Amino acid sequence: MMRRPGHHRLHPKQAGVKGMVGKLSIAVLVLLICTISLLASSTSSGKPRSGYGSEIKLEELWRSANSAGWRPSSAPRSNWPPPPAPSEGNGYLRVRCNGGLNQQRSAICNAVLAARIMNATLVLPELDANSFWHDDSGFYGIYDVEHFIRTLRFDVRIVERIPEIHKNGKIKKIKAFQIRPPRDAPISWYTSVALEKMKKHGAIYLTPFSHRLAEEIDNAEYQRLRCRVNYHALRFKPLIMKLSQSIVDKLRSQGHFMSIHLRFEMDMLAFAGCLDIFNPEQQAVLKKYREANFAPKVLNYDERRAIGKCPLTPEEVGLILRAMGFDNSTRIFLAAGELFGGDQFMNPFRMLFPNLENHSSVDPRDELVENARGLLGSAVDYMVCLLSDIFMPTYDGPSNFANNLLGHRLYYGFRTTIRPDRKALAPIFIAWENGQKAGFDEAVRRVMLKTNFGGPHKRVPPESFYTNSWPECFCQISPRYPADKCPPEDVLQILSSQLGSEETNDLEPLTSLNLTVSEAER
């Protein structure tokens, strides 16, 4: 064991006593946290926010959450001028979106907004060949490019590449000036530093472009533009939609089904530092991965477990669902990469809920089998989870997949989500592991009743805009305040008239979701 600096002169007995005191201090701290949490959950007299009363009614969970008269609307509610012609704009914007599918999705939304802010023409965003997935599908391989450009024609001009300039009989190529944007850069950075370089060089190339524009912006129209990109313009290619539809149809043929993003995977476990439940060989694998991919940091498993920083184990997920009243006939679609620890951790979950499926088991086509770990598999998982009756993320901290889905399901008619409060549940699970079985189910239910189950709720930091775009991207049918009034249904025709030359007979209203997957009766 590595000694701390300054401790090398201690007598062995002194060192042993000091180490024991340290361990006891940690144990006391963990016990104190758990006791306080249990007392808080057992003595709480506040009414549950869910509106489900004092008991969980499964028949209500299988339906969408109570919308309270709100509906999705990301159409502009004030003057929204059309984008300028390329000759009148400030230049061209290129971006390289790094990360996985959903991290790239957020980056694309930010890229469109950045182009709008700078009065620039956007070059079709580049998708990085992800180092984890080893997938270089690119924008054309995942998304419907024609639909993307057409849907956003009232917001920004989008081209597939920077055009060549023909001047004095010569052809000149514009070389984009490369810039590394600061993380969570404010709008002022784009209207000053980035814009200055764009005007000077004619084009700029922002790379990397993940989380490079602040999420919280005090401009509701800018936020609504993000929603138009995320929930209307970004439509997967027909092949992906067809595969997703096939899986949803097969699952729905037997009734309702739930989707779970089981984030019990190597990268997340290594990131969280939750190693102690694994054997020495497995711990060595996780430590090696952590050292290679994350900054050095001393993490104590017991402390992190007590405050809910560890991903839920498959068994804990099963125990939560059982406590809520779901039985072993519940059909569950698992959206996850390769689960770490294998059958040792999955078997307890499978014993509780044997009807488990994933995209390969429901529809074992060659496309999915060959691309199960790539962007195609992730895209299909995303669509099936979006369309499922209930969605449950097991670790929605830095998980872009879960966070984006939570926001999309909120926008997609307040579809039910089950979001376990890991911090509140941790002391209950710790007590259960220590043999305190009595009252376990009731304690879990008390915690779960305090969630909103996917209904409209105020966004509170650190909740992301991409997780909860309410109220900017919603309107109220019978509003209490004028700002919440729904815009006119013909808003796209109004915007189109400003462009003059656009055809309007094939326009899709922004109140629709532009999904080719049919919506089954709920």
Side-chain angles (χ1 to χ4, degrees), residues 416-433:
T416 300
T417 58
I418 297 175
R419 299 178 68 179
D421 183 340
R422 296 190 310 279
K423 185 175 181 179
L425 289 167
I428 300 172
F429 281 121
I430 292 172
W432 182 81
E433 289 167 5

Side-chain angles (χ1 to χ4, degrees), residues 27 77 205 294 421-422:
R77 300 179 202 175
Y205 181 35
F294 304 112
D421 183 340
R422 296 190 310 279

Side-chain angles (χ1 to χ4, degrees), residues 39 46 88 115 131 161 181 256 262 310 317 418 450 464 487 506 510:
L39 286 173
E88 299 172 354
S131 58
R161 63 185 63 84
H256 295 298
L262 198 55
C310 292
V317 174
I418 297 175
K450 294 179 182 178
S464 163
D506 65 338
L510 277 177

